[in-house]
Amino acid sequence: MLSAVFPENIYCMCCGDAIDPSVRSGLCSRCAEKMPWALGNPFHSYMEEFAFDDLLPCVRYGSYARKIMNGLKNGGQNYMAQSVGLMLAERLQLSWDMPDVLAAVPSHKSKLSKRGYNQAELLAGSAARHLKLPYQKGLLVKTRATGSMRMADGRTRRSMLEDSFAITPRFEDAVAGKHVCLVDDVVTTGSTADACARVLKAAGAAKVSVLCFGASSGVRKSRADGGEDEIF
Ligand SMILES: [Zn+2]
């Protein structure tokens, strides 16, 4: 109820400073300027390794994107899904090939019961509403929990994810010949998106593009101050 009196969208999603509520991005001008906006596909030079055909990130995954994603995952802040969903919609509009349908990378039900929602679903629904495109909720299902993969490399993740996703039986005929846009919050190694894309392609999807808020190439470069930057 407090949010009706103090709407959360008057604060920057990234730094928490007060912003003009008419700013639809949900970011203050300082954070919007510092945000590492991404227009390219960070996996472009090794796309043959993946079952998806394109990767469309809004930003390079780093400290700014991490703050926003942590808020979205841990605060239950649905208003953030609206602002981030708008960024995803605008990113997809830059693409030459609009999808037929949007779908979310699913969470396993054990994770869903803990968090109460799947942030990828919130983003996919929000982006679809902004774009006036169909969103097929529940198209894919995660059939087994895979635990934390944070420390696993791409190859290990792939074997952990094998046979972890499936098409919900009632949608089995829904993707044949379609261009499906798979939405996730963050793409790091691409293993999850790849596993989902394999399932969609096996069901006859003509094209699978992946739309996400943050993406990293997995390639890192050491900075002079001892930190590391993701490089595309
Ligand atoms: Zn800010």
Side-chain angles (χ1 to χ4, degrees):
M1 286 310 286
L2 206 60
S3 64
V5 187
F6 300 106
E8 288 160 312
N9 63 359
I10 63 168
Y11 302 108
C12 171
M13 291 193 294
C14 195
C15 70
D17 275 2
I19 53 169
D20 174 351
S22 67
V23 176
R24 293 168 76 213
S25 72
L27 297 171
C28 72
S29 54
R30 211 176 42 244
C31 288
E33 201 173 293
K34 285 185 184 164
M35 195 64 66
W37 302 107
L39 294 174
N41 171 358
F43 295 175
H44 68 91
S45 56
Y46 45 101
M47 281 300 286
E48 68 280 359
E49 291 179 22
F50 300 103
F52 51 85
D53 302 284
D54 204 0
L55 174 63
L56 310 164
C58 297
V59 301
R60 296 177 193 199
Y61 195 55
S63 58
Y64 282 87
R66 194 172 297 119
K67 267 189 207 167
I68 294 174
M69 290 299 102
N70 283 344
L72 186 65
K73 278 184 193 169
N74 303 320
Q77 287 143 310
N78 284 359
Y79 79 100
M80 290 175 84
Q82 292 311 310
S83 296
V84 179
L86 176 64
M87 290 187 220
L88 292 175
E90 289 178 345
R91 179 66 183 87
L92 186 56
Q93 277 171 326
L94 295 175
S95 160
W96 58 274
D97 190 14
M98 280 294 130
D100 299 303
V101 62
L102 273 72
V105 168
S107 289
H108 188 257
K109 57 181 187 292
S110 60
K111 207 171 196 178
L112 266 182
S113 60
K114 214 163 109 192
R115 186 173 291 153
Y117 60 93
N118 169 1
Q119 68 279 2
E121 279 182 6
L122 296 182
L123 295 181
S126 167
R129 272 192 302 281
H130 286 298
L131 291 160
K132 298 186 170 57
L133 282 173
Y135 161 48
Q136 189 58 75
K137 192 173 193 291
L139 177 67
L140 291 172
V141 59
K142 192 162 189 200
T143 51
R144 60 187 182 89
T146 33
S148 174
M149 297 193 295
R150 202 169 294 168
M151 301 308 285
D153 63 15
R155 188 178 303 212
T156 314
R157 285 181 187 217
R158 277 186 192 211
S159 64
M160 288 167 83
L161 287 164
E162 216 168 310
D163 303 322
S164 291
F165 297 97
I167 294 205
T168 300
R170 68 180 183 279
F171 299 131
E172 252 163 21
D173 300 324
V175 298
K178 299 269 175 68
H179 172 186
V180 182
C181 176
L182 195 58
V183 177
D184 206 354
D185 51 351
V186 174
V187 170
T188 52
T189 64
S191 314
T192 301
D194 178 66
C196 291
R198 278 178 203 284
V199 170
L200 292 168
K201 287 280 176 82
K207 179 174 178 180
V208 178
S209 48
V210 177
L211 176 66
C212 61
F213 178 63
S216 61
S217 63
V219 181
R220 289 165 184 277
K221 166 178 88 171
S222 296
R223 286 198 310 258
D225 64 5
E228 308 187 298
D229 283 329
E230 295 280 356
I231 57 166
F232 269 21

